[in-house]
Amino acid sequence: MTEDVHDIRLRVNGIQHTARVPARRLLSDCLRHDLGLTGTHVGCEHGVCGACTVLVDGRPVRSCLMLAVSAAQHADITTVEGLAAADGTPHPVQQAFAECHALQCGFCTPGFLTLVAAYLRDNPDPGEDDAREAVTGNLCRCTGYQNIVAAVLRAAEITRGQDGVPRARPPAEEGRVPEAGGGRP
Ligand code: FES
Ligand code: FES
């Protein structure tokens, strides 16, 4: 039996793409295999790990749980490749993850970056408990989460600095980055 294929249009990171996909093609697979955007990672492929998180119309979505044909009905998709500014300046969340050493193998990182970027847009001044809660649905096998939480707070500082509020020192200088390791957030 032949499988139905669909010609779809996806606007990803501001660029219009076309693809011919089977009806059951996952958005995560479409991004990676049809569009070549391999920054989106696939871990569990059933909605648990969050590695595949992208922004659909600005909201975090697990792209392994959305069909590409469904995604085509939305206006805009942002992957990790689309977070940096057009001139290559890293997104504040990317800068913060680098400053705070919030990644080790990096497999989970694209999902955290997109998730946190959307979170801070709606919650620009989180406390530590808020930051911990924000990332609790994404899994990281390496970092112990402490530096990821620090990076969320640091990204908020950087973002507020861009809005004219004086930038705080990096968390490491303030002694706020705990030892690596530990349990879930
Ligand atoms: S790969 Fe999508 S949630 Fe794990
Ligand atoms: S840095 Fe390795 S899984 Fe998170």
Side-chain angles (χ1 to χ4, degrees):
M1 194 176 83
T2 57
E3 194 170 7
D4 283 350
V5 294
H6 299 263
D7 291 313
I8 61 171
R9 295 165 63 85
L10 290 175
R11 183 175 168 82
V12 184
N13 303 329
I15 298 172
Q16 198 74 44
H17 296 269
T18 58
R20 175 165 290 193
V21 297
R24 291 181 295 176
R25 173 84 90 237
L26 300 173
L27 175 58
S28 51
D29 290 337
C30 180
L31 291 169
R32 289 178 54 83
H33 302 303
D34 297 308
L35 306 187
L37 295 169
T38 54
T40 298
H41 290 171
V42 174
C44 65
E45 219 171 7
H46 57 268
V48 174
C49 72
C52 66
T53 303
V54 300
L55 305 183
V56 176
D57 295 339
R59 298 164 64 97
V61 165
R62 299 189 174 209
S63 60
C64 72
L65 294 184
M66 178 176 272
L67 297 173
V69 292
S70 301
Q73 297 167 18
H74 292 269
D76 191 55
I77 296 166
T78 303
T79 68
V80 68
E81 290 96 338
L83 290 183
D87 67 358
T89 302
H91 187 283
V93 179
Q94 293 171 309
Q95 180 183 336
F97 266 64
E99 287 184 12
C100 298
H101 310 290
L103 63 148
Q104 290 181 27
C105 78
F107 191 85
C108 68
T109 307
F112 276 99
L113 293 175
T114 48
L115 175 77
V116 174
Y119 173 76
L120 292 179
R121 183 195 58 219
D122 299 333
N123 304 275
D125 191 14
E128 183 169 339
D129 287 347
D130 303 320
R132 203 170 290 279
E133 178 72 21
V135 299
T136 198
N138 280 35
L139 301 182
C140 174
R141 296 177 63 175
C142 303
T143 65
Y145 298 96
Q146 303 293 355
N147 289 5
I148 291 176
V149 171
V152 175
L153 299 174
R154 175 61 185 147
E157 290 175 343
I158 296 169
T159 304
R160 291 197 301 273
Q162 289 176 343
D163 291 335
V165 178
R167 289 169 59 157
R169 289 174 299 155
E173 295 175 28
E174 297 172 348
R176 206 175 61 196
V177 179
E179 297 275 320
R184 296 282 302 277

